[in-house]
Amino acid sequence: MIVSVDRLGRKVSQNFEYIADLLLLTYLSFRSTLIGQTEGWRTLYSVISAQIYFTGWQAMPLIIFLAIGSGALVAMQSIMQMTFLGGVDYVGNFMLMIIVREIGPLLTALIVIARSGTAVAAELGSMQVNKELDALKTMGINPLSFVIFPRLVGGIVSVLCLSFYFVIFATLSGALVCRIMKGMPFDVYFTSLSQAASMSDVFVFVIKNFMSGLIIFSVCCYQGLKVEKSPHEIPQMTTQAVVKSTVYVLALNFLITIYFYFGSIMNLGIL
Amino acid sequence: MSGVFKNIKFSKVSVGFEGQEILQACDFDFPMNKNCRFVFANDREKYFFFHAASQVEGFTAGSYSINQENVLEMSFEDFMKFRINMGFGFSTRGLLQNRTLRQNLLLPLEFHNLFVGPERVEWLNNCLEYFDIRSDLDKRPSEVSPSTQKSTLILRAFIHQPELVFLDTPEALLSKRHQANLLQMIDDHRKHHNLRHLFFATADEDLSDCLADEYIILSKKRLKHVTTQNKSRGVA
């Protein structure tokens, strides 16, 4: 029993240490860019643009495909259940709860982890092995501002944009399904959707996606930097990057949802 | 014209990497305004010494001072005034793989806003006179020969007209003709540009004879001067 408690304690403290390292990496990359950067802004801007292009723009077809599919599925299931309960007009609430609050941010984050998180971890790992980060330092270019900062900023912007487009396409496909299956007019669907939405949904959406982007790219950069000298470490660190960023993103989504859910229940006076 | 580097000094310096110490309580004044050849017992010592001296990493004790300022206490930004005047020619590797050779060469100039506009292109063309890699300039490092990669590494060390250059095995992978061009380039940089201090390691005695004014040997975790007359004994 005590051994298990010890083991659990060790795991918890290791996770706290890891999170502290991630925060330090993020802080130092922003600090070195905002304080130390004097001349390289144009070069940095091009690196950030490239990151947004690879992470955001190139992932758009996959995100649109998934959004249309999941939006249609959620709408279909909602309509079927709500027909039995006699509340088809509330399908907008379902779409908002499931797509905007949960599936949109989560699926987008998982796609970004699979597509770009792995690429970032592997790229940084191979940069370590090839002494590219040392080379940057010898050129007077801080890797924290030239390599890490653009990936963090580009990653966060991309996740926010991708998630926004996911929600747009998912709700549109939902509208189409409602129209085809139930003959629901578009204005009824969108009125239901807009009545269900509140400012807190916008806030939760932004905070979830911002934090997911930050977690994914700080974890993947950190794991990439942990590669020391041998190429065989690259796949190991990439795998760890995927596992850790998935776990942290899921935990974050879970915590925000719980906070939001309990907040709503407390507002209703149930608890 | 006065240079940026007045003196460079190790005081009771210890340097260690991966648990292995290569310098221990070492006092050493770097010879200034000279071409100095550093001699090491093995590649590991050579790599870690150059890594420590050029990137200010791996120091476990003592002080590393440039112009009486301890650079070990400086942040990356504070050290920039010296770093911008230093060049480093890697032995192998060190090229950015996701950039073309042209982008690799121009990166320090673009980042530090040196040689604006047509001047930059003109200066690049001037540098390419020594190593003709024009046909490969728009290829990535993985698409060119190791010799072209090495030429790019050397050119990049000199591209921002540094005052101090570290060269790790500059002759490796270069043809005799390119080695001669390298000597010419160093000579031209000394005469017409900012180069004043050159610290290098080589396995080529001919190149060393042509280039070295002084020999410094790392032995028993200390750096020692060896006079040119005694170099063969020192090197051995």
Side-chain angles (χ1 to χ4, degrees):
Chain A
M1 175 67 183
I2 289 172
V3 174
S4 304
V5 172
D6 284 354
R7 202 173 290 150
L8 180 68
R10 203 158 37 241
K11 275 275 174 207
V12 170
S13 65
Q14 277 170 356
N15 269 294
F16 275 114
E17 274 174 38
Y18 189 81
I19 291 167
D21 285 347
L22 295 181
L23 290 173
L24 186 65
L25 178 73
T26 307
Y27 166 73
L28 289 176
S29 71
F30 276 80
R31 182 192 173 280
S32 63
T33 310
L34 301 176
I35 295 175
Q37 204 67 44
T38 51
E39 287 155 341
W41 277 109
R42 184 177 287 192
T43 321
L44 272 192
Y45 179 74
S46 72
V47 184
I48 294 172
S49 308
Q51 188 62 46
I52 293 174
Y53 175 76
F54 291 125
T55 306
W57 181 249
Q58 290 194 335
M60 277 294 279
L62 181 58
I63 286 290
I64 290 171
F65 178 74
L66 273 175
I68 291 171
S70 51
L73 286 172
V74 171
M76 257 188 257
Q77 289 290 349
S78 308
I79 282 181
M80 285 195 317
Q81 300 305 318
M82 296 309 276
T83 306
F84 295 135
L85 297 169
V88 179
D89 291 350
Y90 288 99
V91 72
N93 293 50
F94 259 79
M95 290 300 286
L96 183 90
M97 271 196 297
I98 297 172
I99 296 292
V100 180
R101 288 186 197 162
E102 305 302 336
I103 287 184
L106 195 58
L107 263 184
T108 306
L110 293 177
I111 293 296
V112 171
I113 289 169
R115 269 194 88 257
S116 306
T118 49
V120 165
E123 187 188 14
L124 261 69
S126 82
M127 284 179 91
Q128 281 278 60
V129 171
N130 287 323
K131 309 287 175 213
E132 292 176 49
L133 300 179
D134 287 346
L136 285 172
K137 283 187 236 169
T138 62
M139 287 188 265
I141 300 172
N142 193 339
L144 285 170
S145 59
F146 188 75
V147 178
I148 308 298
F149 178 79
R151 278 157 183 78
L152 288 178
V153 172
I156 291 167
V157 171
S158 301
V159 170
L160 273 165
C161 293
L162 285 174
S163 204
F164 175 75
Y165 282 110
F166 186 99
V167 167
I168 297 289
F169 281 96
T171 47
L172 284 177
S173 76
L176 213 60
V177 166
C178 291
R179 174 82 182 169
I180 293 166
M181 285 182 68
K182 275 281 166 192
M184 182 188 281
F186 287 128
D187 61 327
V188 173
Y189 174 85
F190 285 112
T191 306
S192 151
L193 202 63
S194 61
Q195 280 174 349
S198 64
M199 273 312 288
S200 59
D201 289 316
V202 177
F203 177 73
V204 167
F205 179 80
V206 171
I207 202 84
K208 264 191 179 179
N209 287 298
F210 179 90
M211 290 303 294
S212 293
L214 186 63
I215 287 171
I216 294 165
F217 286 90
S218 58
V219 167
C220 293
C221 287
Y222 184 78
Q223 290 299 134
L225 293 176
K226 276 178 83 174
V227 172
E228 286 178 357
K229 49 191 174 181
S230 171
H232 87 271
E233 296 170 46
I234 297 171
Q236 293 171 357
M237 290 303 164
T238 306
T239 309
Q240 281 187 28
V242 172
V243 172
K244 283 181 192 279
S245 46
T246 305
V247 168
Y248 285 126
V249 163
L250 276 170
L252 172 94
N253 275 269
F254 183 69
L255 288 174
I256 292 178
T257 300
I258 283 187
Y259 181 77
F260 190 75
Y261 175 69
F262 275 112
S264 303
I265 289 178
M266 284 168 79
N267 284 342
L268 291 171
I270 296 169
L271 282 175
Chain B
M1 196 176 75
S2 63
V4 173
F5 298 94
K6 307 276 187 285
N7 56 65
I8 304 174
K9 192 176 178 180
F10 279 174
S11 304
K12 300 270 175 275
V13 152
S14 296
V15 173
F17 284 93
E18 297 162 8
Q20 192 183 333
E21 219 165 32
I22 60 160
L23 288 178
Q24 193 178 50
C26 172
D27 290 312
F28 185 73
D29 276 308
F30 283 72
M32 306 306 283
N33 299 303
K34 294 218 166 100
N35 295 336
C36 299
R37 178 187 175 187
F38 282 78
V39 182
F40 303 93
N42 54 53
D43 276 356
R44 189 182 166 80
E45 277 186 355
K46 180 189 71 175
Y47 172 74
F48 287 137
F49 173 78
F50 278 132
H51 186 86
S54 65
Q55 294 176 42
V56 196
E57 285 175 3
F59 290 85
T60 52
S63 73
Y64 173 18
S65 57
I66 299 177
N67 306 344
Q68 277 86 43
E69 290 183 75
N70 187 2
V71 297
L72 300 183
E73 291 169 356
M74 290 182 179
S75 67
F76 192 91
E77 292 80 27
D78 296 335
F79 187 59
M80 191 63 87
K81 60 184 173 188
F82 297 123
R83 201 185 291 269
I84 197 81
N85 289 292
M86 292 163 87
F88 188 93
F90 284 77
S91 170
T92 54
R93 300 190 281 189
L95 288 176
L96 304 182
Q97 298 293 321
N98 62 355
R99 287 173 178 258
T100 62
L101 300 188
R102 186 193 303 278
Q103 289 168 331
N104 265 282
L105 289 172
L106 291 178
L107 181 61
L109 304 184
E110 285 170 356
F111 196 84
H112 298 295
N113 217 12
L114 306 169
F115 298 100
V116 185
E119 265 183 54
R120 193 176 284 164
V121 180
E122 195 183 320
W123 171 241
L124 178 65
N125 285 330
N126 188 10
C127 292
L128 293 172
E129 294 295 323
Y130 301 101
F131 299 95
D132 191 13
I133 53 169
R134 283 186 180 85
S135 57
D136 292 328
L137 266 185
D138 293 312
K139 292 178 182 166
R140 292 190 172 176
S142 57
E143 298 167 325
V144 302
S145 68
S147 166
T148 306
Q149 290 182 29
K150 180 68 182 180
S151 303
T152 314
L153 284 169
I154 291 174
L155 279 176
R156 198 177 61 185
F158 287 89
I159 197 93
H160 55 297
Q161 297 187 352
E163 189 184 316
L164 184 158
V165 174
F166 293 97
L167 286 180
D168 182 353
T169 333
E171 80 285 358
L173 303 168
L174 292 185
S175 63
K176 283 288 174 197
R177 185 170 65 85
H178 277 151
Q179 286 185 23
N181 290 350
L182 167 68
L183 293 174
Q184 184 62 49
M185 185 173 78
I186 291 169
D187 198 40
D188 288 347
H189 270 263
R190 268 200 184 281
K191 283 179 185 157
H192 308 299
H193 304 299
N194 300 325
L195 182 64
R196 282 159 177 254
H197 327 286
L198 178 71
F199 302 127
F200 69 100
T202 180
D204 186 332
E205 294 302 327
D206 293 340
L207 181 87
S208 175
D209 288 341
C210 293
L211 200 56
D213 301 322
E214 286 204 22
Y215 288 72
I216 293 150
I217 187 164
L218 195 157
S219 169
K220 295 174 186 166
K221 299 181 183 177
R222 300 282 165 90
L223 289 164
K224 293 172 194 165
H225 285 277
V226 180
T227 58
T228 319
Q229 287 76 24
N230 296 331
K231 67 168 172 103
S232 51
R233 191 152 50 91
V235 172

